[in-house]
Amino acid sequence: MKCVVEYPKDHPFPIQNLPYGSFYTAGDASSQRCGVAIGDYILDLQALSYTSHFSPTLDRDVFAVQPSLNAFMGLEKQTWLDFRTHLQQLLSQPSPLTLDATVAAADVEAGIAQRKHIGRRLFVDRLAQDTVLCLPCRIGDYTDFYSSLEHAYNCGVLIRGKENALQPNWRHLPVAYHGRASSIVPSGTPIHRPVGQILDKPGDTQPVIAPCRRLDFELEVGFRLSPAEAADRVFGAVLLNDWSARDIQTWEYVPLGPFLSKNFATTISPWIVPVHALEQFTCPGYDHQPPLLPYLQDGTNTNFDIPLTVALRPWESDEALDSGFAVISHSSLRHTYYTVRQMIAHHSTTGCPLNPGDLLGTGTLSAPGTEGYGSLLEMSHMGRRPFSVQSTVGEVQRTFLNDGDTVKMSGKATASNGEYAIGFGECVGTILPAVPM
């Protein structure tokens, strides 16, 4: 496919990807609407819905009146596939669209009420200062799993020792906790250091209230869902940073698990990569020993091999320089002991309903070896071993995150023919000081 939009072959958003998102322009949040990323541009799906170029099989109101993707995500898999095919055909040369295409008076078919949009551009500069990327959908519920064998083992060794690294239930079911959907923010949103109860020093039994001293990131991928059979209802995937306050977590997690240590912020990348764009990167899943119960057995047992990286820009670096980022971890989406289908199957065993826009996190994705740690908890051995990070002023030391540090997660896989790549874009957050109590 030769696209009407030009981009280098390693661009994360080629015509073979077409991730969905939500955005507004010119400082007008009331104009929020859905779009598709193509190269450095966004195809405005609301503007497109007012023209004869829109898919004849899809209700225009799905994009004409909806600011986010929930209505589209609630449709059937075949509808997603048909619309994706329509967009690829529309964006392929020869095409009726050009980069300067607008909603033309002769093309308006959505009714007289939409004529105020005549002249609006169909393509928006994604990188322009007045283009603001929003959460791609309303997130009603968020569940975070703990599905990476390498991460669970690494953390277990640090906490309980090698002999008891994995809890007895870990190889039998996908462990998870219910997160706070209201604290999910799009990439680029600054994160205030959380405040909570912590133990001031080793051996203390009386807590103090203080800003978190062991602020961590977690490299994850989040999957967006609609209700029905798991294999057909996973809409797509985003990068996910499950920010974690490790000292608050240590004190509070017994007996019911994370609360304030996890609910202050979770950052996601703004573009949902369709699961159909990832299917070419399937790879064998893990061999489950002992065997899983029948309801968790997955006949395909496949994961997605999507390389993931974490980069850190210490506050000592010049924030104007992208070179201030140093890659500190290399992992992959393939490192989930349980497949996404198994996570959904377990999630719904009690009859728990899943709704369009719900978000499921994989849990921290750590790869084998010391270069694949998906959290600072592992890299610093619970803060006991500082490690070096390259900044624009030289090497600096870290155990956990300092105020002013910026974390950037990225994910991109190259097609087998080397002619294009499928990427997630970036998931970025900068740490701000705690808000005074």
Side-chain angles (χ1 to χ4, degrees):
M1 291 177 285
K2 176 65 174 176
C3 186
V4 296
V5 176
E6 293 187 359
Y7 45 77
K9 69 178 185 179
D10 63 344
H11 198 288
F13 301 145
I15 195 172
Q16 292 87 355
N17 189 348
L18 300 185
Y20 294 95
S22 182
F23 70 103
Y24 65 85
T25 55
D28 181 11
S30 66
S31 70
Q32 183 179 340
R33 65 259 195 205
C34 299
V36 164
I38 178 68
D40 289 339
Y41 291 87
I42 300 171
L43 176 60
D44 186 333
L45 293 179
Q46 185 184 72
L48 184 70
S49 72
Y50 302 146
T51 75
S52 59
H53 305 305
F54 194 69
S55 171
T57 62
L58 186 63
D59 185 345
R60 296 176 189 274
D61 284 352
V62 168
F63 294 121
V65 299
Q66 301 292 336
S68 61
L69 291 163
N70 295 73
F72 183 58
M73 296 171 73
L75 301 177
E76 297 299 315
K77 176 182 178 180
Q78 191 58 51
T79 304
W80 303 336
L81 291 171
D82 291 345
F83 187 65
R84 174 178 167 79
T85 299
H86 175 77
L87 290 178
Q88 289 179 325
Q89 292 171 345
L90 186 62
L91 291 168
S92 296
Q93 295 181 358
S95 169
L97 301 184
T98 61
L99 277 181
D100 60 356
T102 60
V103 179
D107 239 355
V108 171
E109 291 189 351
I112 195 69
Q114 311 302 344
R115 290 189 174 274
K116 64 181 179 180
H117 297 289
I118 291 173
R120 196 163 109 192
R121 296 179 66 90
L122 294 180
F123 290 94
V124 175
D125 186 345
R126 183 172 57 85
L127 305 179
Q129 284 189 333
D130 67 345
T131 301
V132 178
L133 302 180
C134 311
L135 286 177
C137 63
R138 298 184 310 278
I139 302 171
D141 275 301
Y142 162 47
T143 301
D144 197 29
F145 284 87
Y146 188 51
S147 66
S148 167
L149 173 61
E150 289 75 14
H151 175 68
Y153 178 79
N154 292 340
C155 293
V157 169
L158 292 171
I159 297 170
R160 293 179 296 275
K162 290 184 178 181
E163 298 303 317
N164 300 297
L166 296 180
Q167 298 281 23
N169 66 345
W170 197 90
R171 289 185 183 269
H172 292 272
L173 57 84
V175 176
Y177 74 92
H178 190 191
R180 181 74 179 173
S182 64
S183 62
I184 297 174
V185 297
S187 175
T189 305
I191 308 301
H192 280 282
R193 182 176 297 273
V195 174
Q197 286 194 18
I198 63 173
L199 295 177
D200 188 42
K201 56 185 181 296
D204 282 0
T205 57
Q206 176 63 35
V208 298
I209 184 79
C212 167
R213 300 171 188 173
R214 294 190 165 194
L215 185 56
D216 200 355
F217 61 77
E218 292 188 3
L219 171 65
E220 303 192 23
V221 169
F223 286 85
R224 298 303 183 86
L225 309 174
S226 295
E229 296 300 322
D232 292 336
R233 304 312 296 172
V234 177
F235 180 74
V238 294
L239 294 173
L240 188 153
N241 184 347
D242 183 29
W243 303 98
S244 299
R246 297 300 188 191
D247 43 1
I248 298 174
Q249 183 178 4
T250 299
W251 173 244
E252 76 175 3
Y253 85 100
V254 178
L256 293 181
F259 180 37
L260 300 183
S261 57
K262 296 281 191 174
N263 74 358
F264 60 98
T266 298
T267 302
I268 63 171
S269 53
W271 297 104
I272 304 179
V273 176
V275 70
H276 320 300
L278 302 178
E279 288 172 347
Q280 62 187 296
F281 303 110
T282 55
C283 63
Y286 282 70
D287 178 31
H288 298 98
Q289 295 298 330
L292 301 176
L293 294 177
Y295 82 98
L296 283 177
Q297 291 177 5
D298 183 349
T300 61
N301 193 32
T302 55
N303 286 334
F304 299 108
D305 190 8
I306 310 294
L308 305 170
T309 61
V310 181
L312 176 64
R313 184 176 66 199
W315 69 264
E316 294 92 341
S317 292
D318 183 349
E319 66 178 29
L321 299 176
D322 191 61
S323 60
F325 282 98
V327 175
I328 58 175
S329 178
H330 296 268
S331 188
S332 171
L333 179 51
R334 73 181 302 156
H335 298 298
T336 54
Y337 186 76
Y338 297 96
T339 68
V340 176
R341 296 172 295 278
Q342 289 167 331
M343 295 180 212
I344 297 171
H346 184 66
H347 199 304
S348 59
T349 53
T350 58
C352 173
L354 297 174
N355 297 306
D358 285 358
L359 177 65
L360 300 188
T362 58
T364 306
L365 292 168
S366 294
T370 58
E371 300 299 315
Y373 292 143
S375 69
L376 295 178
L377 179 72
E378 298 161 87
M379 291 184 200
S380 70
H381 291 250
M382 293 187 70
R384 302 182 191 117
R385 299 183 188 176
F387 61 92
S388 296
V389 182
Q390 189 65 40
S391 75
T392 56
V393 297
E395 286 191 351
V396 295
Q397 297 290 302
R398 285 294 184 274
T399 52
F400 292 97
L401 295 172
N402 290 356
D403 290 350
D405 287 353
T406 300
V407 176
K408 178 172 68 174
M409 298 177 178
S410 305
K412 186 167 66 173
T414 302
S416 58
N417 62 7
E419 290 302 310
Y420 63 89
I422 300 294
F424 287 82
E426 296 174 345
C427 181
V428 181
T430 299
I431 303 302
L432 301 180
V435 176
M437 294 190 64

